[in-house]
Amino acid sequence: MATYIVNYLVLSGISSDRYQVCLKQLQGEWTSLETGMDMTYFQTFGWYESIFPYQLKDNWLHENVIAVVKKDGETVLIAPLTIVKHNWMYLNRKGVYLLGRCGWSDYLNFIYKIFENEAIEALMLGVKEKYGICDWFFEQIREDTALFTYLSINRKNIPTEKKVCVSLNLPDTEELYMVNLAKSAKQNLRTAQNRLNKAGKDLRFVFDDKNVDKHKLVSLRASRLGKKNYEPIVYKRYKRMIKDWLLFRYPHFLPFLVDANCHVMTAYEGDEIRAFFNYGIDYVHKTILLMAVGTDETFARYSPGMLLMYAFIKEQIQKHSINIIDFTRGDEFYKYALGGKNHYLYYFHAQV
C-alpha cells in the first residue's frame, strides 16, 4: 500500500533572497508536474515565481505555504496555499484557499501530472492536523479538470458559484475559420476597417512587441478599466466600494510588469499605441492565454483591439503551433465576435 507524506515549505519570516532559494528547491519537481493535462500557464513554476511577492503578507491572520505531497518518496502534488486562520470583517472566512486568488491567475488548481484522490485526501487531512482548519474554498476550477470531477462527486463539497470564460479552438485553415465566423462578426470587422479607411488612418500590428513602452500600457489599461468597472447605479457603486474595503487587500500588480515569460501584442497608429493584449504561451498544451488588455478610449470607435486580435488569430492558424486562443475570464463582446465559445469555472466549499 502506498504511503503519502505531506511536507510544508513555509515562506513567512524569511528574507527575499532566502525565499528565492527555497522556491528554487522545488523547481525541478514543479516543472515536471506542470506538464500534466489539467495544467495551464497559471500553474507553471515561472508564473508562481512571478506572483509570490504579490500575495498577502504573512501575519497572525493569514499565512502562505507550499504543501508538497510525496508518494513513497516521490513528489506527486504541489499545493501553493493561503491559510486564513480566523474569520475577519464578515467577508473573509477562515479556511484554506489556493494561492493566486484575487489576482491574474484566471485558473486555479494544484500542481500535478496525474490526479490521485489519495494525494488530495492526504493533503487535506495533513492541513487539518497542522492548522486545525476543516474548510477549503476552491475557486476558479476549470470544469475539464480531474479536480473538478473529484469535487463534484463528493457530497460534502458544495458548488457555490459558476463563472464564464471564453476560448477559441483554432481550425486548420484560415478558410475554415472564416466559414465558421458569424456574419455579424464579419460585418463588424469590415465596419471597423472601413472607418479607418474613411478617416485616412492605418494600424500597424506587432504580435510580440519586445520594445513596447510599458508605461503607456499601464495608462491604456487604467483608462479601459475605469470605463469597464464604472457602475452607473449609485447604491451598487457604494455597495462594491464597501465590499472592496472589507475584503483582504491583495497587492496590485500587472503581469506584463512582473512576468518575464509573458508577451505583448500591440496595435500602433503611427507611433501611438491604440490597443494591446498581454498574453502567456503554454507551449506544452499549445495554448495562448490572454491576461491584461488595454484600448485607447479616444480611438475605440475603430475597434483596434478586435482588428489586432483578428490578425493575430489568422497568423496563429498559418503557423500551426497553437491549438487554442484562450480569452480567459469574462464575456466581453469581442471574444464572441472573433468566434469564441463558453467554458466555465466553478467555486466549491469543501469540508474535511
Side-chain angles (χ1 to χ4, degrees):
M1 185 176 179
T3 301
Y4 293 85
I5 297 176
V6 184
N7 297 321
Y8 302 91
L9 176 61
V10 180
L11 301 177
S12 59
I14 60 177
S15 67
S16 58
D17 290 342
R18 178 60 183 159
Y19 150 79
Q20 290 292 341
V21 171
C22 289
L23 194 58
K24 288 289 186 184
Q25 293 174 358
L26 293 175
Q27 185 170 4
E29 296 166 312
W30 194 312
T31 53
S32 175
L33 295 179
E34 72 185 35
T35 61
M37 63 181 297
D38 286 355
M39 302 294 97
T40 72
Y41 186 83
F42 301 118
Q43 277 71 60
T44 61
F45 177 85
W47 176 251
Y48 270 96
E49 189 177 32
S50 299
I51 70 169
F52 265 127
Y54 300 94
Q55 303 306 305
L56 295 173
K57 302 303 180 185
D58 295 346
N59 55 30
W60 64 273
L61 185 55
H62 38 66
E63 176 182 311
N64 297 318
V65 62
I66 302 176
V68 179
V69 181
K70 293 182 177 288
K71 175 185 177 182
D72 296 333
E74 179 182 356
T75 298
V76 295
L77 183 140
I78 296 174
L81 305 173
T82 295
I83 311 293
V84 178
K85 303 172 187 177
H86 309 281
N87 291 325
W88 181 254
M89 299 291 281
Y90 304 104
L91 298 180
N92 305 291
R93 298 180 63 183
K94 175 181 177 180
V96 185
Y97 299 79
L98 298 182
L99 192 147
R101 65 189 300 262
C102 299
W104 290 96
S105 300
D106 284 51
Y107 307 135
L108 297 177
N109 203 335
F110 299 126
I111 319 302
Y112 55 85
K113 181 177 286 185
I114 299 172
F115 187 88
E116 299 184 31
N117 291 4
E118 297 84 357
I120 302 298
E121 290 161 5
L123 170 67
M124 297 177 78
L125 287 172
V127 170
K128 179 181 178 181
E129 291 175 3
K130 180 175 176 62
Y131 292 96
I133 295 176
C134 301
D135 292 279
W136 286 66
F137 297 93
F138 291 94
E139 300 166 307
Q140 296 161 217
I141 306 300
R142 287 172 59 113
E143 62 184 338
D144 59 351
T145 62
L147 178 59
F148 171 81
T149 302
Y150 172 83
L151 293 171
S152 297
I153 63 177
N154 189 327
R155 293 182 181 177
K156 293 181 183 178
N157 304 329
I158 305 167
T160 59
E161 195 174 355
K162 173 182 175 181
K163 289 190 176 179
V164 67
C165 297
V166 182
S167 62
L168 171 66
N169 292 318
L170 296 181
D172 292 331
T173 66
E174 187 178 329
E175 289 74 20
L176 280 174
Y177 175 61
M178 295 306 297
V179 167
N180 293 326
L181 209 58
K183 290 182 180 180
S184 59
K186 296 174 186 176
Q187 182 59 51
N188 288 331
L189 290 164
R190 284 195 296 269
T191 298
Q193 188 60 57
N194 289 337
R195 284 177 178 170
L196 281 171
N197 296 340
K198 288 179 180 179
K201 300 179 184 295
D202 189 35
L203 290 176
R204 174 174 58 90
F205 303 134
V206 182
F207 297 137
D208 188 3
D209 195 343
K210 299 185 183 301
N211 300 313
V212 66
D213 184 343
K214 292 183 178 179
H215 294 292
K216 290 186 177 180
L217 302 187
V218 173
S219 177
L220 287 180
R221 172 70 190 168
S223 174
R224 176 183 183 273
L225 202 60
K227 181 177 179 181
K228 178 182 176 182
N229 291 343
Y230 177 72
E231 174 55 65
I233 302 176
V234 174
Y235 85 88
K236 288 187 177 181
R237 194 186 314 162
Y238 281 107
K239 181 178 179 181
R240 187 164 70 180
M241 289 172 59
I242 292 170
K243 183 178 179 180
D244 290 344
W245 181 74
L246 291 174
L247 286 170
F248 288 138
R249 292 183 179 87
Y250 282 78
H252 175 72
F253 70 97
L254 289 165
F256 55 80
L257 295 180
V258 304
D259 179 12
N261 299 312
C262 72
H263 304 260
V264 176
M265 68 177 91
T266 46
Y268 288 89
E269 184 218 3
D271 294 328
E272 292 296 322
I273 301 175
R274 297 304 189 181
F276 79 90
F277 291 93
N278 175 208
Y279 64 96
I281 305 176
D282 180 351
Y283 294 98
V284 174
H285 304 95
K286 296 184 176 181
T287 301
I288 284 175
L289 300 95
L290 299 190
M291 294 183 281
V293 176
T295 302
D296 183 342
E297 293 301 327
T298 66
F299 204 80
R301 71 182 303 268
Y302 301 106
S303 304
M306 189 163 69
L307 290 172
L308 168 62
M309 182 54 66
Y310 175 62
F312 182 74
I313 288 170
K314 291 194 294 182
E315 186 195 63
Q316 294 305 315
I317 292 172
Q318 293 170 5
K319 290 171 65 175
H320 294 289
S321 59
I322 294 296
N323 294 336
I324 299 171
I325 304 289
D326 192 337
F327 300 111
T328 60
R329 284 183 291 176
D331 58 356
E332 290 86 348
F333 166 78
Y334 77 89
K335 300 178 180 181
Y336 300 106
L338 293 167
K341 305 296 182 185
N342 285 351
H343 61 98
Y344 296 96
L345 297 177
Y346 287 81
Y347 294 61
F348 290 89
H349 175 200
Q351 290 186 313
V352 184

